[in-house]
Amino acid sequence: LCGDANGDGKIDLLDISRIINALYRGGPAPAAWNIVDVNNSGKCDLLDVAYLITKLYRGGAEPVCPESSGSGSLISHSACKNLMTALASEEFTGNQDGIAYDYDGVGKLMFQHLNAAFNCCPIFVSIITIEGNNIIIEELDSLYGGGCDCLCIFDLDYKISYLTPGIYHIRVIEPYVTEEMEKLEFDVDLTTATSGFYFVLRDRYPWTLLEN
């Protein structure tokens, strides 16, 4: 039930209290963050509290929540960095393959896959699966139309919404990382707002094209 933060089958003042406690007082989280995003903004914040108060006591509109919790998507990507080496950040050199992340503490995880290897003429396809405390990002290099006879390094931007605070294992399945190469996977504590980065070293093409 959209707005039923405590899961008792109805919407009342107790739900408002549950949201406030979860957001600002370290209280228990709702059963799912998407059911308290009552204004369908992509996050839960004080505006959702105000929305519920208006609905309960001032005849406001019914809550309208997103359908799913813990959903993620690829939202943007850079140009080929092999041809634009100035785009490489100071934190990451060309032979580093890594994740930079930023979590708001209540549900939104933004992260970049920095120096991801794809065909030079890619169609970017990423599948994000969230199972319990495992976040799996499977990146597929779709060569529709034949692709090009080369590889490039890109930065990919992702967003995951309604991710309940907790400790997660993040794993990236990359199209050009073979079995003998170190995998890009790590544990991260998202029990509070936090940011950071994790990387592994690559010593082969195409990462070596950006070494500095």
Side-chain angles (χ1 to χ4, degrees):
L1 179 62
C2 181
D4 182 15
N6 62 1
D8 65 357
K10 57 185 178 180
I11 302 173
D12 54 24
L13 190 59
L14 294 178
D15 297 299
I16 295 172
S17 177
R18 177 71 171 261
I19 297 171
I20 292 173
N21 285 334
L23 288 175
Y24 305 110
R25 299 172 184 169
W33 283 103
N34 65 304
I35 66 169
V36 291
D37 180 14
V38 295
N39 63 357
N40 202 2
S41 67
K43 61 183 178 179
C44 179
D45 54 22
L46 195 59
L47 293 178
D48 296 292
V49 174
Y51 193 105
L52 281 182
I53 291 173
T54 302
K55 181 260 187 292
L56 288 174
Y57 303 109
R58 298 173 187 170
E62 291 294 322
V64 182
C65 292
E67 293 183 0
S68 61
S69 181
S71 59
S73 60
L74 172 66
I75 57 177
S76 65
H77 60 81
S78 72
C80 171
K81 292 170 62 177
N82 300 35
L83 305 176
M84 303 175 66
T85 56
L87 291 176
S89 66
E90 293 182 358
E91 294 91 348
F92 284 79
T93 58
N95 67 337
Q96 293 175 330
D97 176 11
I99 294 288
Y101 60 89
D102 184 75
Y103 183 61
D104 67 358
V106 295
K108 184 174 71 174
L109 174 64
M110 304 293 295
F111 62 94
Q112 276 191 311
H113 182 183
L114 299 169
N115 296 345
F118 280 82
N119 187 270
C120 290
C121 307
I123 298 175
F124 294 97
V125 178
S126 295
I127 301 171
I128 301 177
T129 305
I130 303 171
E131 298 177 344
N133 283 52
N134 292 298
I135 301 173
I136 302 171
I137 303 99
E138 183 177 6
E139 296 175 341
L140 306 174
D141 201 349
S142 175
L143 302 182
Y144 179 79
C148 297
D149 190 21
C150 58
L151 298 179
C152 264
I153 294 296
F154 300 86
D155 291 342
L156 277 63
D157 295 292
Y158 292 94
K159 176 183 177 180
I160 295 179
S161 301
Y162 316 114
L163 188 68
T164 304
I167 297 175
Y168 289 88
H169 183 77
I170 297 177
R171 177 188 176 200
V172 183
I173 301 173
E174 305 176 73
Y176 296 102
V177 172
T178 58
E179 286 298 321
E180 70 274 11
M181 296 170 67
E182 185 177 358
K183 303 301 183 289
L184 181 56
E185 57 181 326
F186 61 103
D187 293 324
V188 60
D189 187 349
L190 301 180
T191 53
T192 60
T194 187
S195 61
F197 62 90
Y198 176 87
F199 67 88
V200 296
L201 297 177
R202 306 290 187 210
D203 60 359
R204 63 182 66 185
Y205 173 81
W207 289 274
T208 50
L209 291 175
L210 286 183
E211 287 185 354
N212 49 34

